[in-house]
Amino acid sequence: QVQLVESGGGSVQAGGSLLLSCAASGRTFSNYAMGWFRQAPGKEREFVSVVSGKGGNLFYEDSVKGRFTISRDNAGNRGYLQMNSLKPEDTAVYYCAASSYGNQYTAPIAQARYEYWGQGTQVTVSS
C-alpha cells in the first residue's frame, strides 16, 4: 500500500514558479508510476504529467510542455513537479497519484489506472 502526502502549493503571480513535492510511504516506491493531475473549480480532473517507476518514461499534457518538469527520487520516496512560467489557467488543485499498472517502465495516462491519491494541494496563479 502507498500513502501520499503533498506539499509546495501556494499563490504565485503569472510567470512565477512553484515546486510541488509528493512524499510516499508504504511499499517499494519504484514499483509505482507517479502521476500528477489537476482539477480547476467547476472542471473535471485532468492529467498533467507522469513518470514511470524507474524514471525512464514520462509524458506531459500539451499545455504544460516546456514549462513543467516531473521527476522522482526513489531512494527518498518522493516525487516532484517543477512548475515554471505559471499562467492563470494553471490555477487548480493538484494531486499526486501512484499506479501499479503494468511494470516499472509503464507511464499510464488514464486516471483509472491510479489506485493511490494524495489529498491535493492548491495552486493559485494571479495575473
Side-chain angles (χ1 to χ4, degrees), residues 24-45:
S25 62
R27 302 187 66 82
T28 303
F29 188 44
S30 62
N31 289 341
Y32 298 86
M34 185 198 69
W36 288 93
F37 299 81
R38 66 186 181 186
Q39 185 170 24
K43 306 295 183 181
E44 294 187 0
R45 188 167 58 194

Side-chain angles (χ1 to χ4, degrees), residues 38-122:
R38 66 186 181 186
Q39 185 170 24
K43 306 295 183 181
E44 294 187 0
R45 188 167 58 194
E46 67 175 354
F47 168 79
V48 176
S49 186
V50 58
V51 57
S52 58
K54 286 293 185 68
N57 296 311
L58 48 82
F59 297 101
Y60 296 95
E61 195 274 325
D62 285 344
S63 69
V64 308
K65 288 180 180 177
R67 300 189 297 120
F68 292 7
T69 302
I70 191 170
S71 62
R72 65 189 297 158
D73 173 15
N74 286 340
N77 283 6
R78 186 173 291 267
Y80 302 95
L81 184 67
Q82 177 65 53
M83 309 166 67
N84 298 327
S85 301
L86 283 162
K87 305 175 181 180
E89 51 262 45
D90 294 319
T91 296
V93 176
Y94 283 71
Y95 300 88
C96 65
S99 172
S100 62
Y101 177 77
N103 55 46
Q104 293 180 337
Y105 305 97
T106 304
I109 306 300
Q111 297 184 39
R113 298 302 185 185
Y114 291 82
E115 60 260 58
Y116 304 107
W117 293 81
Q119 79 287 349
T121 185
Q122 177 70 48

